[in-house]
Amino acid sequence: MGAIFRAYDIRGAYPDELDEDMGRRIGAGFVRLLHAEAIVVGRDMRLSSPSLTEAFIEGALSAGASVTDIGMVSTPLLYYAIIDGKFDGGAMVTASHLPGRMNGFKLCRENAIPLGGDRDLPALERLVGKSPPVPPRPITGKYRRLSAMERYIEMLLSFVRSGPPLKIVVDAGNGMAGPEVPRIAARVPEWTFTFRDIEPDGRFPDHIANPLIPSTTLELQAAVLNEQADIGVAFDGDADRCGFIDEEGNRVPEDLVTALIAEAFLQRHPGGTILYDLRSSRVVPETIVRLGGKAVRCRVGHAFIKAQMREEEALFAGELSGHYYYRDTGYTDNAVMTMIRMLNLLSAEQEPLSRLVAPLKKYASTGEINIRVTDKDAVLAGLEERYGDAGIDHLDGLTIDYPSWWFNIRPSHTEPVLRLNLEAEDAGAVAAKREEVFARITAIDPGMRRAAS
């Protein structure tokens, strides 16, 4: 069971690791953990999601909670429903960007505060492990169906600041952005959309719904050029992550999107606080500070970022994984909101996206590299000793910081992998420093090898 309880959520292969019996146990345990009286539940389009949702709801009802089922929705819509309906908590049945055979649960307390892996998820795992099987179709709590879509779309539309006409190509990845973006398009005539893979389909017939994988956006990039569009937008399966393509058909690095949106926020909210995850380019905090904002570095992972946003009362946060978080949506990540923010930016600036991004390309980076090792702790200790003259911190893994280059290396929570991000002044320096770090790791752990991303 421990394999499916991750650092931020619950995920496993259906039905080998996660089945209906486990779904009932998790539903009952979730209600008991929160002492919840009323919860809301949504699901994505995966083929196993209807039966896992039904099982989770049965478990929740057996524990005495009232359940509102909002059907097939995006994860950000589920977050909105928790906050808008003032529920004690909520559950989204999804495996996000993972292949169709996978499924899982994203679980929240009131106000869409996520259950974290430091305390809540381990406590839930213990409850689930001790609980007896939950019989199907118990009659205890009350059940109802409700649609939250129209209120949610109205909320998103309230942030639209349209101007000159824009042409947009959207690849919904056969995921949960599909039902939402056309509703936005129908209400904003200045924005002309072309859609790809818009119908939700848990088989993912075209490509996996993960915009961080470059191969998944190749057709979108070609479509942007063919349509002479201003921008392309790619969504993941549950629409809490997105990626962007500029008018020249090039992918826009996710951390540079953070800098662009931060700039737009700070024009409206001078002196505001913006969070950025520690893997982001140095240009992100440089941009925030230059514009008079407060740049706050944060750990990787939505549970940590959302908690720190609340502590700092931050306007916005950006993560290298394509998650973007907004105080305006209850400190939650929202990909369709991010699309709206980027389109507002293009309308306001009346400049091509490539031209807006160009000044932010000050440095070169490796992107995230997965390294398989036999002893993660030994590698981290050895690197810290080797680079002892650098600026060092342990906010998340190990960060080594020199004036002209830096790297962060973090251990995976679930496998013998270290994740390396390195940035330097140009591509040549990046290549040289990457090989230097690889050599140091190999000297510490001769079994080191590159792992699949």
Side-chain angles (χ1 to χ4, degrees):
M1 185 172 62
I4 67 172
F5 281 79
R6 309 295 182 92
Y8 315 119
D9 54 21
I10 298 169
R11 291 183 189 173
Y14 175 86
D16 299 338
E17 297 176 312
L18 181 61
D19 62 8
E20 287 75 12
D21 174 65
M22 182 59 66
R24 290 186 197 95
R25 292 170 185 257
I26 292 170
F30 175 67
V31 168
R32 292 180 180 127
L33 178 71
L34 299 189
H35 305 288
E37 295 181 2
I39 66 168
V40 59
V41 179
R43 64 174 175 87
D44 71 10
M45 65 291 134
R46 292 167 192 273
L47 302 184
S48 59
S49 289
S51 64
L52 285 175
T53 301
E54 181 179 356
F56 182 95
I57 290 172
E58 288 173 349
L61 291 171
S62 77
S66 296
V67 177
T68 297
D69 180 358
I70 58 173
M72 191 171 71
V73 297
S74 68
T75 294
L77 199 163
L78 185 277
Y79 295 152
Y80 170 80
I82 296 170
I83 297 168
D84 187 56
K86 296 180 172 58
F87 289 96
D88 299 322
M92 179 70 187
V93 182
T94 184
S96 189
H97 59 281
L98 296 179
R101 184 166 173 261
M102 302 295 289
N103 217 326
F105 300 95
K106 291 183 177 180
L107 303 172
C108 296
R109 296 178 171 273
E110 75 285 353
N111 295 318
I113 298 170
L115 266 62
D118 54 343
R119 183 180 60 187
D120 291 332
L121 286 175
L124 177 60
E125 183 178 4
R126 289 192 294 273
L127 276 175
V128 171
K130 294 176 182 176
S131 67
V134 179
R137 303 191 184 283
I139 302 173
T140 307
K142 294 181 179 179
Y143 171 84
R144 67 169 177 164
R145 290 291 304 270
L146 182 72
S147 174
M149 178 67 77
E150 289 309 313
R151 285 177 62 83
Y152 176 66
I153 295 299
E154 288 291 340
M155 181 275 291
L156 290 173
L157 285 166
S158 72
F159 292 95
V160 170
R161 307 284 183 265
S162 60
L166 292 174
K167 293 182 69 175
I168 307 110
V169 183
V170 165
D171 185 339
N174 296 117
M176 294 317 306
E180 296 178 7
V181 180
R183 285 177 163 86
I184 302 290
R187 305 276 288 277
V188 189
E190 298 90 345
W191 295 348
T192 302
F193 286 82
T194 301
F195 295 112
R196 302 182 53 82
D197 300 327
I198 199 69
E199 292 297 327
D201 187 338
R203 297 169 298 179
F204 301 108
D206 193 11
H207 58 76
I208 186 174
N210 185 352
L212 260 65
I213 300 176
S215 62
T216 67
T217 62
L218 292 176
E219 293 179 358
L220 175 61
Q221 290 168 263
V224 168
L225 293 174
N226 291 338
E227 297 285 337
Q228 295 185 310
D230 297 291
I231 190 172
V233 191
F235 292 94
D236 75 342
D238 65 333
D240 64 358
R241 292 200 303 171
C242 59
F244 294 95
I245 309 300
D246 71 19
E247 83 287 351
E248 296 178 349
N250 298 314
R251 291 167 60 95
V252 180
E254 286 73 18
D255 48 354
L256 303 192
V257 172
T258 299
L260 286 173
I261 296 177
E263 184 169 354
F265 266 106
L266 291 170
Q267 288 172 355
R268 288 176 172 266
H269 304 279
T273 298
I274 309 289
L275 270 60
Y276 65 98
D277 99 59
L278 54 75
R279 301 167 298 176
S280 302
S281 170
R282 280 178 173 169
V283 79
V284 177
E286 288 173 357
T287 300
I288 295 166
V289 171
R290 174 174 57 81
L291 295 167
K294 179 183 177 184
V296 178
R297 192 163 162 265
C298 61
R299 293 181 64 176
V300 175
H302 78 104
F304 302 117
I305 292 172
K306 291 169 181 175
Q308 191 168 351
M309 282 188 78
R310 290 175 185 277
E311 292 171 6
E312 303 276 353
E313 297 185 355
L315 295 166
F316 167 67
E319 197 173 8
L320 195 63
S321 57
H323 288 274
Y324 303 99
Y325 306 79
Y326 301 89
R327 187 171 69 186
D328 291 328
T329 60
Y331 303 103
T332 64
D333 38 340
N334 191 312
V336 176
M337 173 69 87
T338 303
M339 178 195 75
I340 289 171
R341 297 284 184 178
M342 288 291 282
L343 298 183
N344 288 348
L345 176 68
L346 288 178
S347 292
E349 297 293 337
Q350 298 186 38
E351 292 277 0
L353 181 54
S354 64
R355 197 172 299 169
L356 297 176
V357 172
L360 301 173
K361 294 183 175 180
K362 289 180 61 177
Y363 307 106
S365 68
T366 60
E368 191 152 272
I369 301 172
N370 288 337
I371 304 168
R372 191 167 293 276
V373 296
T374 57
D375 189 335
K376 292 184 285 188
D377 291 339
V379 170
L380 293 173
L383 289 173
E384 183 168 355
E385 181 179 1
R386 165 61 183 83
Y387 293 107
D389 60 334
I392 293 174
D393 74 63
H394 304 94
L395 176 63
D396 195 346
L398 171 68
T399 298
I400 300 295
D401 193 356
Y402 288 99
S404 62
W405 70 289
W406 64 270
F407 70 87
N408 171 265
I409 187 163
R410 300 178 301 115
S412 165
H413 293 284
T414 57
E415 54 186 333
V417 164
L418 292 169
R419 309 192 193 284
L420 173 70
N421 287 269
L422 185 149
E423 182 177 67
E425 293 176 327
D426 55 50
V430 164
K433 291 301 181 182
R434 179 189 63 214
E435 294 311 310
E436 175 187 314
V437 173
F438 281 176
R440 297 295 177 187
I441 295 173
T442 302
I444 300 164
D445 190 330
M448 185 276 279
R449 59 186 174 87
R450 291 278 296 269
S453 299

